[in-house]
């Protein structure tokens, strides 16, 4: 059924790229509209569009900056790339954050697409990165950015781990220790996510950075 979207090697066909880009654009337009409403405006506010686009671009660029080597089966510690999607959720709420996270996940997918099944793509890209938008639930609470970021990282890891259990464990070597199968997807995915998360939280709690992030938030929602 998906032969016109996915080739025999598990990559995307030209039509697959086109559909993926179209979905991403629709999500971005919806996110921009919701961002405008969150700030009390109708339609696409120029400022809200600019802030969402800037955060998405910074998240995408910093995802290429990897202070430590990439993990053997995918995943890496990046230069705080998740924070930029979490910021959108903190500024404009869950729905906008989820949609921008969805678009960010599609960008990640388009870099190196590999399709085992539709649900595998959803676990690794759609649900995992959209989950960063859950940070918006904490936007109006004390230390909301911090708690939202922590929850977002944990939620993203849960979807990656689910994909590991359902699909990627089948690709482990035959001599892979059976005793590790129950924990390996969790250990593998959270090893790099929590490393990046801890480093990001440390940077966020630097007083100057904390104040700067609050000033940016006030400007974004004003």
């Amino acid at each position: 059924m998906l032969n016109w979207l996915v080739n025999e090697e598990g990559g995307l066909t030209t039509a697959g790229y086109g559909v993926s880009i179209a979905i991403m654009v629709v999500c971005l337009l919806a996110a921009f509209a919701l961002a405008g409403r969150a700030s009390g405006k109708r339609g696409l506010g120029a400022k809200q569009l600019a802030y969402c686009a800037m955060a998405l671009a910074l998240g995408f660029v910093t995802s290429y900056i990897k202070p430590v080597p990439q993990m053997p089966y995918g995943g890496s510690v990046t230069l705080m790339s998740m924070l930029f999607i979490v910021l959108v959720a903190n500024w404009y709420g869950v729905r906008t954050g989820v949609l921008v996270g969805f678009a960010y996940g599609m960008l990640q997918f388009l870099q190196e697409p590999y399709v085992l099944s539709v649900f595998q793509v959803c676990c690794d890209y759609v649900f995992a990165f959209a989950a960063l938008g859950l940070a918006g639930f904490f936007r109006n609470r004390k230390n909301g950015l911090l708690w939202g970021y922590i929850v977002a990282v944990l939620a993203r890891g849960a979807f990656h781990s689910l994909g590991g259990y359902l699909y990627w464990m089948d690709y482990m070597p035959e001599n892979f220790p059976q005793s590790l199968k129950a924990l390996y997807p969790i250990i593998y995915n959270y090893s790099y996510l929590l490393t990046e998360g801890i480093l990001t939280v440390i940077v966020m709690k630097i007083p100057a950075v904390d104040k700067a992030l609050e000033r940016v938030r006030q400007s974004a929602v004003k």
Side-chain angles (χ1 to χ4, degrees), residues 71-221:
M71 300 288 282
Y73 300 106
S76 58
V77 178
T78 69
L79 189 63
M80 303 189 297
S81 61
M82 291 184 289
L83 175 61
F84 296 102
I85 309 304
V86 169
L87 286 174
V88 172
N90 183 256
W91 298 336
Y92 303 123
V94 175
R95 291 183 296 175
T96 303
V98 166
L99 286 168
V100 171
F102 186 116
Y104 178 72
M106 294 302 295
L107 282 174
Q108 296 294 322
F109 175 59
L110 290 169
Q111 286 185 72
E112 295 182 71
Y114 189 75
V115 181
L116 296 174
S117 75
V118 172
F119 192 66
Q120 169 263 324
V121 172
C122 288
C123 284
D124 286 341
Y125 299 99
V126 178
F127 297 153
F129 290 105
L132 296 176
L134 297 179
F137 282 120
F138 300 85
R139 64 187 296 244
N140 294 320
R141 299 187 184 184
K142 185 178 180 180
N143 296 316
L145 178 58
L146 174 63
W147 289 113
Y149 180 80
I150 292 171
V151 169
V153 172
L154 295 176
R156 177 186 165 186
F159 284 112
H160 285 313
S161 298
L162 177 62
Y165 281 118
L166 295 179
Y167 298 100
W168 295 109
M169 289 305 296
D170 293 338
Y171 291 83
M172 293 294 103
E174 292 184 2
N175 60 352
F176 186 83
Q178 296 298 310
S179 59
L180 289 179
K181 280 193 171 183
L183 293 175
Y184 185 73
I186 295 174
I187 295 171
Y188 180 92
N189 287 291
Y190 281 108
S191 65
Y192 66 87
L193 288 174
L194 291 180
T195 299
E196 178 177 332
I198 291 170
L199 293 174
T200 301
V201 167
I202 291 172
V203 173
M204 287 169 59
K205 297 312 293 181
I206 296 173
V209 175
D210 187 42
K211 290 180 181 178
L213 289 173
E214 180 57 29
R215 285 198 296 268
V216 172
R217 184 182 191 276
Q218 292 175 2
S219 176
V221 300

Side-chain angles (χ1 to χ4, degrees), residues 43-84:
L44 299 178
K47 177 187 285 188
Q48 289 71 32
L49 188 153
Y51 272 89
C52 288
M54 177 182 64
L56 182 63
L58 287 172
F60 187 63
V61 169
T62 52
S63 72
Y64 281 97
I65 304 174
K66 302 170 183 178
V68 298
Q70 183 165 313
M71 300 288 282
Y73 300 106
S76 58
V77 178
T78 69
L79 189 63
M80 303 189 297
S81 61
M82 291 184 289
L83 175 61
F84 296 102

